[in-house]
């Protein structure tokens, strides 16, 4: 029985504030530290698409590690920047990109998923639904495309449905490792699927295509629609 | 190890490059080893080609690395993951006759294509890497190298503990999927710890790998979950085969002059 109680669905605003939820002073200046956001559902709530074991490890171990190491890297960065230690500052960039990216990506990912009884898997309605039909032909075509790109991604990374802010069109993109979608252009992430092995190994072994086929049953289109409408407004 | 037929039927380049490949002007023949460049070898006889690379067994039973690598995990890693790479490679080679005559080593360097890898590279390199990885371990491994190899490590890293620290640090700071290597650098004539992403191997830079550690998540997840640190320590303390590493060093000395002191064979 998961110890976590079910929280009310987070709005977009509270997600943003959840990303920087505590301020602790270090030295003379205060450095914003980040903390692990709570899941809006139980670990076992996404079964059988994603097992409770995976959700718990993914959230409590992997995401927590990214948060911890991100905070550590930021602390070291501040120290190095204050000392004017340019090589140290530059050396920290990869740790910041990796751990910060991991925190950003996973925070979005938890919102991208929802239990079936809370609307997980229900196709998008409204403007996002029309947008998908317009840019991809149909929802099925979008799903095929994302599954194909996700399966073909070598190594670790993410496959995204994003909104190009400048061109005002929906795009499917992939990023390597924990690179956030912003590294690929002026893109707003609507939907991200983690294709690192830790996201599916315990349940699907090396059959990544099966994981991709099943995850659509718990995709939370309501969140993606909300982000889309906000950006298009 | 799988064998390849040296008689190849040349069917043209059409299947070779992917449609997205911007190197369509590339003359692949220049990358092939000399014995395969002559079209006399490739054209003419309409003999059916059988290019076949096999799934090479590790030099120990699948449960021999317990408790540091469970039998289940080894069966999964070797029997499913590596097998998938081998089968994928064979399927790709079915359509691509130019690569038939290559040995595994040659296949890796040729398909790497000087940094613009062909579609076969991922499968070929991963097969090579995994073969190398299983052979880099032994039941009852760990401990420290002896005599000549130890001397070389001390010369190039300062001390064995320094090497060990560097190796662990490389494994833990490798973001994403990849491999950690102890490699003999040909140009620098010294040993180094190197980390590579995804399927890349020091072979493509013409360096000589001495040891490899797989840090893709599938290599340790069932037994260690996300605790990569314990996995790396278990590898160094209990699995790494310094015997094999010494053998590889001896062979490497034939190609790289390590200067004084000459390394006595252990």
């Amino acid at each position: 029985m998961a110890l976590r109680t079910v929280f009310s669905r987070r709005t977009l605003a509270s997600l943003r504030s959840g990303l920087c939820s505590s301020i602790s002073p270090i030295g003379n200046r205060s450095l914003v530290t980040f903390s692990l956001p709570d899941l809006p559902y139980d670990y076992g709530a996404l079964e059988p698409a994603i097992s409770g074991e995976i959700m718990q490890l993914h959230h409590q171990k992997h995401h927590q590690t990214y948060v911890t190491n991100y905070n550590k890297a930021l602390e070291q960065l501040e120290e190095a920047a204050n000392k004017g230690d340019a090589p140290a500052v530059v050396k920290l960039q990869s740790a910041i990109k990796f751990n910060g990216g991991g925190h950003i990506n996973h925070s979005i990912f938890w919102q991208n998923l929802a239990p079936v009884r809370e609307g997980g898997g229900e196709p998008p309605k409204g403007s996002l639904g029309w947008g998908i039909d317009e840019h991809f032909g149909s929802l099925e075509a979008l799903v095929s495309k994302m599954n194909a790109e996700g399966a073909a991604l070598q190594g670790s990374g993410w496959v995204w449905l994003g909104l190009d802010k400048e061109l005002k069109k929906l795009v499917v993109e992939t990023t390597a490792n924990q690179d956030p979608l912003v590294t690929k252009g002026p893109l707003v992430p609507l939907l991200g699927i983690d294709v690192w092995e830790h996201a599916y190994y315990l349940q699907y072994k090396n059959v990544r295509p099966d994981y991709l086929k099943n995850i659509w049953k718990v995709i939370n289109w309501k969140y993606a629609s909300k982000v889309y409408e906000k950006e298009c407004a | 190890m799988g064998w390849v037929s040296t008689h190849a039927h040349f069917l043209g380049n059409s299947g070779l490059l992917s449609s997205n490949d911007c190197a369509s002007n590339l003359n692949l023949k220049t990358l092939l080893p000399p014995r395969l460049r002559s079209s006399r070898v490739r054209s003419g006889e309409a003999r059916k080609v059988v290019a076949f690379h096999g799934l090479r067994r590790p030099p120990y039973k699948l449960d021999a690395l317990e408790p540091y690598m469970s039998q289940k995990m080894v069966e999964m890693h070797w029997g499913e993951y590596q097998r998938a790479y081998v089968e994928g490679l064979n399927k790709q080679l079915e359509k691509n006759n130019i690569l038939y005559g290559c040995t595994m080593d040659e296949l890796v360097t040729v398909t790497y294509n000087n940094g613009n890898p062909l579609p076969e590279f991922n499968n070929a390199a991963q097969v090579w890497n995994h073969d190398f990885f299983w052979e880099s371990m032994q039941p009852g491994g760990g401990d420290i190298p002896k005599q000549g190899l130890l001397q070389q490590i001390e010369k190039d890293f300062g001390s064995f503990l320094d090497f060990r620290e560097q190796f662990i640090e490389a494994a833990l700071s490798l973001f994403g999927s990849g491999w950690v290597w102890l490699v003999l650098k040909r140009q620098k004539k010294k040993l180094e710890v190197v980390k590579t992403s995804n399927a890349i191997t020091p072979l493509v830079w013409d360096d000589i790998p001495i040891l490899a550690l797989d840090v893709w998540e599938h290599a340790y997840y069932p037994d260690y979950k996300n605790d990569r640190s314990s996995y790396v320590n278990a590898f160094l303390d209990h699995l790494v085969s310094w015997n094999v590493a010494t053998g590889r060093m001896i062979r490497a000395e034939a190609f790289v002059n390590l200067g004084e002191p000459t390394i006595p064979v252990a």
Side-chain angles (χ1 to χ4, degrees):
Chain A
M1 182 64 190
L3 296 171
R4 212 158 280 287
T5 59
V6 178
F7 286 72
S8 61
R9 180 85 48 76
R10 283 172 180 268
T11 62
L12 191 62
S14 68
L15 168 69
R16 293 249 169 81
S17 67
L19 279 176
C20 17
S21 63
S22 74
I23 305 217
S24 58
I26 293 180
N28 301 327
R29 299 166 42 171
S30 57
L31 181 70
V32 172
T33 57
F34 296 84
S35 60
L36 185 67
D38 289 326
L39 291 191
Y41 37 79
D42 284 351
Y43 289 132
L46 302 180
E47 303 221 359
I50 306 180
S51 72
E53 193 192 4
I54 288 184
M55 289 304 292
Q56 183 166 7
L57 278 165
H58 205 171
H59 182 246
Q60 278 183 357
K61 298 274 178 189
H62 291 273
H63 191 173
Q64 180 63 69
T65 304
Y66 290 128
V67 170
T68 308
N69 290 340
Y70 184 40
N71 286 331
K72 218 183 336 184
L74 287 178
E75 222 181 282
Q76 290 170 338
L77 179 70
E78 202 200 22
E79 222 180 282
N82 285 341
K83 281 196 267 179
D85 187 352
V89 167
V90 173
K91 196 167 174 219
L92 282 163
Q93 297 310 307
S94 64
I96 288 177
K97 184 179 185 190
F98 180 67
N99 292 298
H103 174 49
I104 294 169
N105 294 339
H106 286 88
S107 301
I108 298 172
F109 188 50
W110 309 135
Q111 301 292 304
N112 284 150
L113 304 170
V116 172
R117 67 168 186 277
E118 284 176 34
E122 264 173 40
K125 307 182 182 54
S127 55
L128 180 57
W130 304 328
I132 288 175
D133 286 343
E134 192 189 317
H135 287 114
F136 300 101
S138 66
L139 180 61
E140 288 72 35
L142 170 64
V143 169
S144 297
K145 186 167 195 239
M146 285 185 77
N147 286 351
E149 303 223 0
L153 195 152
Q154 284 172 15
S156 311
W158 291 73
V159 59
W160 301 93
L161 172 65
L163 171 66
D164 188 321
K165 277 193 286 202
E166 284 170 18
L167 301 177
K168 287 281 180 241
K169 59 185 280 232
L170 292 169
V171 292
V172 169
E173 259 298 352
T174 55
T175 55
N177 299 336
Q178 290 297 354
D179 294 356
L181 189 58
V182 292
T183 55
K184 282 278 175 112
L187 304 175
V188 176
L190 303 176
L191 184 56
I193 300 181
D194 190 350
V195 291
W196 279 63
E197 286 171 328
H198 65 239
Y200 59 90
Y201 183 91
L202 291 175
Q203 190 178 351
Y204 294 95
K205 304 292 184 265
N206 69 331
V207 192
R208 197 192 275 176
D210 279 357
Y211 159 70
L212 289 169
K213 206 169 42 162
N214 283 306
I215 199 174
W216 294 101
K217 301 178 187 156
V218 288
I219 288 290
N220 181 14
W221 284 109
K222 291 191 200 151
Y223 169 79
S225 294
K226 236 190 295 196
V227 178
Y228 182 72
E229 279 154 26
K230 186 165 185 285
E231 285 297 324
C232 289
Chain B
M1 190 70 179
W3 65 94
V4 290
S5 161
T6 50
H7 296 288
H9 183 69
F10 179 63
L11 289 176
N13 283 347
S14 54
L16 181 62
L17 300 171
S18 72
S19 56
N20 294 333
D21 203 313
C22 57
S24 43
N25 294 327
L26 179 73
N27 187 357
L28 207 69
K29 289 185 211 166
T30 58
L31 291 172
L32 288 175
R35 74 176 193 282
L36 294 177
R37 279 186 215 160
S38 157
S39 57
R40 183 164 44 87
V41 173
R42 291 194 307 274
S43 66
E45 283 126 33
R47 228 175 274 202
K48 180 89 172 85
V49 189
V50 179
F52 171 71
H53 291 280
L55 180 62
R56 190 182 203 173
R57 285 196 75 93
Y60 36 76
K61 285 207 173 118
L62 298 185
D63 62 354
L65 300 180
E66 298 250 9
Y68 309 104
M69 270 200 194
S70 66
Q71 178 180 1
K72 210 155 163 259
M73 187 163 88
V74 175
E75 275 173 356
M76 188 64 220
H77 195 177
W78 173 78
E80 310 242 354
Y81 273 84
Q82 192 176 342
R83 191 186 300 274
Y85 288 126
V86 170
E87 287 172 0
L89 178 63
N90 286 337
K91 238 190 290 210
Q92 282 172 321
L93 290 182
E94 250 174 63
K95 312 175 198 141
N96 183 340
N97 306 38
I98 273 194
L99 297 175
Y100 274 145
C102 294
T103 63
M104 211 47 171
D105 284 35
E106 289 164 350
L107 202 56
V108 171
T109 34
V110 167
T111 53
Y112 183 66
N113 195 16
N114 293 320
N116 194 11
L118 306 178
E120 293 84 355
F121 175 74
N122 192 53
N123 285 327
Q126 282 294 76
V127 173
W128 193 96
N129 293 342
H130 280 90
D131 283 342
F132 193 82
F133 173 54
W134 298 121
E135 287 163 9
S136 299
M137 295 188 289
Q138 67 174 74
D143 200 18
I144 59 170
K146 311 275 189 297
Q147 293 189 285
L149 180 52
L150 181 61
Q151 275 179 27
Q152 187 68 31
I153 287 180
E154 285 171 347
K155 179 164 172 245
D156 293 334
F157 292 96
S159 74
F160 179 74
L161 282 178
D162 283 327
F163 152 73
R164 195 197 147 91
E165 241 176 66
Q166 261 192 49
F167 194 87
I168 294 177
E169 207 258 323
L172 298 182
S173 64
L174 196 159
F175 297 142
S177 308
W179 299 77
V180 184
W181 307 84
L182 172 63
V183 69
L184 178 62
K185 295 271 192 176
R186 259 192 232 256
Q187 300 296 330
K188 293 190 200 174
K189 301 196 206 296
K190 63 187 287 231
L191 288 171
E192 274 186 15
V193 167
V194 152
K195 46 185 183 180
T196 60
S197 277
N198 294 352
I200 308 271
T201 152
L203 270 193
V204 306
W205 302 306
D206 202 29
D207 288 327
I208 304 176
I210 304 295
L211 285 176
L213 174 63
D214 189 351
V215 290
W216 282 63
E217 284 180 322
H218 67 242
Y220 58 93
Y221 210 78
D223 289 352
Y224 296 91
K225 302 294 184 291
N226 80 323
D227 189 358
R228 196 187 273 185
S229 170
S230 297
Y231 166 66
V232 181
N233 279 287
F235 173 80
L236 287 172
D237 290 337
H238 301 286
L239 293 174
V240 65
S241 174
W242 289 113
N243 291 335
V244 168
T246 304
R248 289 168 177 163
M249 265 309 269
I250 293 167
R251 185 176 178 274
E253 283 184 275
F255 299 94
V256 181
N257 181 358
L258 293 169
E260 292 296 332
T262 53
I263 296 190
V265 167

